[in-house]
Amino acid sequence: MDIAEDIYTNIEEVSFKGCDDLTAGYATLHMGLQDGTRLKSGNENSQPFRLVTVSLGLLCVLLLATVINLSVHYHKKHNQLSRLQISYNNLTEQEQKYQNTVSEQENKISEMQILFNNLTDENHKLQNKISQKGKFKSKSCNKKKFIYSGPH
């Protein structure tokens, strides 16, 4: 059996608000979709569907506005984050340069401290040599004085 034949099998049972005429039922069954919608548009039952449709449309518009707003906000934050990342990288690089400079200066200070300690040790040794030679000269000078003062 065809679909068209199925539709016509129970045509006697179709009735319209007080209209039991078979031709009216047949005409109603074969109306176009737009014609049927026009008949139902004046119906009180379509009012809640209209309200739901408008509500859903408003929710769609609100959702679209929210998505656009979040997209703009995301791009602003992403750009800000990119700038902060670049700044952070520059600061890290600058910190590394300063750290290298500090290490170099600490090495120079260490070398100078070693040099200072070596020079101080050498100075002490020279001072000791000078003082020992001075003692030796003063002893020899005292002996000479003693020797020369005797024949008088």
Side-chain angles (χ1 to χ4, degrees):
M1 229 192 221
D2 261 351
I3 295 176
E5 291 176 10
D6 270 346
I7 292 175
Y8 299 123
T9 54
N10 295 325
I11 200 154
E12 292 86 22
E13 297 175 14
V14 175
S15 66
F16 244 155
K17 294 184 183 177
C19 181
D20 291 330
D21 189 10
L22 258 177
T23 56
Y26 183 79
T28 305
L29 279 177
H30 288 83
M31 270 194 306
L33 185 59
Q34 290 178 343
D35 295 336
T37 326
R38 262 193 231 128
L39 283 176
K40 291 183 180 180
S41 68
N43 196 350
E44 294 172 4
N45 292 337
S46 68
Q47 190 65 24
F49 295 119
R50 199 176 285 157
L51 182 63
V52 168
T53 304
V54 170
S55 298
L56 288 175
L58 288 175
L59 283 175
C60 286
V61 169
L62 182 65
L63 181 63
L64 180 64
T66 303
V67 167
I68 291 171
N69 185 21
L70 287 175
S71 176
V72 169
H73 183 70
Y74 170 78
H75 287 295
K76 283 181 183 178
K77 290 298 178 180
H78 181 72
N79 288 339
Q80 185 180 13
L81 180 65
S82 296
R83 281 185 269 129
L84 286 173
Q85 185 66 41
I86 290 169
S87 178
Y88 172 77
N89 291 342
N90 290 340
L91 287 173
T92 304
E93 183 180 322
Q94 192 174 13
E95 179 194 20
Q96 186 64 37
K97 286 179 183 177
Y98 287 145
Q99 192 66 32
N100 290 340
T101 303
V102 167
S103 295
E104 289 173 4
Q105 294 301 322
E106 286 175 345
N107 288 339
K108 285 181 182 179
I109 288 172
S110 178
E111 290 173 4
M112 293 175 110
Q113 185 66 41
I114 291 170
L115 182 62
F116 175 77
N117 289 342
N118 290 341
L119 289 174
T120 303
D121 288 344
E122 190 176 333
N123 187 20
H124 286 301
K125 288 177 185 176
L126 288 173
Q127 289 291 338
N128 286 339
K129 282 183 182 180
I130 290 173
S131 65
Q132 285 178 357
K133 284 186 179 182
K135 286 181 185 177
F136 180 72
K137 282 185 180 179
S138 67
K139 285 182 182 178
S140 62
C141 286
N142 286 339
K143 287 181 183 179
K144 288 181 182 178
K145 285 183 183 178
F146 182 71
I147 293 175
Y148 289 115
S149 60
H152 199 245

